[in-house]
């Protein structure tokens, strides 16, 4: 896929990314706002990876590493660009980032109801760990 460009997001990409998530990502998050993504980029400038094809945003993934664990969020592919290997290429770039940073295992946040995502993650070599459950508490206002 020689026409695919993968790069880290820059502050000027944020409005495009937020609009992209509204159409390409499954579900929403309390952090899906400009302030949340600006904080991500300020703390870890290489965490939000973008895949562009034909000059347009085709896919995103957040590949966050906290020094101990590797976390994947917001793997989203534009609906008309799915099943072309774009998400796989972007995920491979995220995994390469983790290895460079010293990460040893990646984990992904995947909605239980998002069956099409389950197939994609399994194809990429990931498997659910049913003995774990995510516990959450919204913070702040």
């Amino acid at each position: 896929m020689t026409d695919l460009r993968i790069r880290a997001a820059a502050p000027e990409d944020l409005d495009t990314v937020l609009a992209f998530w509204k159409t390409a990502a499954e579900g929403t998050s309390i952090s899906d706002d400009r302030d949340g993504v600006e904080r991500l980029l300020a703390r870890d400038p290489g965490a939000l990876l973008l895949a562009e094809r034909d000059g347009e945003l085709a896919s995103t993934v957040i590949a966050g590493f906290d020094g101990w664990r590797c976390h994947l969020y917001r793997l989203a592919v534009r609906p008309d660009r799915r099943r072309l290997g774009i998400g796989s290429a972007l995920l491979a770039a995220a995994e390469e980032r983790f290895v460079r940073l010293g990460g040893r295992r990646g984990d992904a946040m995947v909605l239980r109801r998002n069956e099409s995502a389950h197939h994609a993650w399994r194809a990429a070599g990931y498997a659910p760990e049913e003995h774990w459950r995510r516990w959450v508490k919204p913070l702040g206002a």
Side-chain angles (χ1 to χ4, degrees):
M1 201 172 313
T2 59
D3 59 341
L4 188 67
R5 178 179 178 223
I6 295 176
R7 65 177 179 86
E12 57 270 15
D13 296 312
L14 297 189
D15 291 332
T16 301
V17 168
L18 289 167
F20 177 81
W21 286 344
K22 287 180 182 177
T23 60
E26 180 75 24
T28 58
S29 167
I30 194 170
S31 308
D32 288 356
D33 60 23
R34 189 169 184 84
D35 288 342
V37 182
E38 282 176 345
R39 279 191 300 279
L40 170 68
L41 293 186
R43 184 185 178 285
D44 189 353
L48 176 53
L49 298 175
L50 310 179
E52 298 169 325
R53 191 164 190 197
D54 301 325
E56 293 182 332
L57 183 57
S59 184
T60 67
V61 70
I62 296 173
F65 180 62
D66 61 15
W68 184 40
R69 292 195 175 161
C70 307
H71 303 287
L72 295 157
Y73 310 93
R74 280 293 181 237
L75 177 61
V77 180
R78 207 171 98 178
D80 65 336
R81 300 281 173 108
R82 292 181 181 160
R83 304 198 55 80
L84 299 174
I86 295 170
S88 296
L90 190 57
L91 187 54
E95 292 169 350
E96 289 168 13
R97 177 178 197 269
F98 290 150
V99 170
R100 281 193 313 272
L101 294 171
R104 296 184 285 176
R105 180 183 70 186
D107 66 60
M109 297 286 296
V110 183
L111 289 172
R112 208 177 265 223
R113 70 175 186 263
N114 191 347
E115 290 293 328
S116 62
H118 297 181
H119 298 295
W121 284 104
R122 277 190 180 90
Y126 290 76
E129 288 189 337
E130 299 299 334
H131 59 278
W132 291 99
R133 181 159 308 247
R134 180 176 178 219
W135 293 43
V136 299
K137 175 184 176 183
L139 304 174

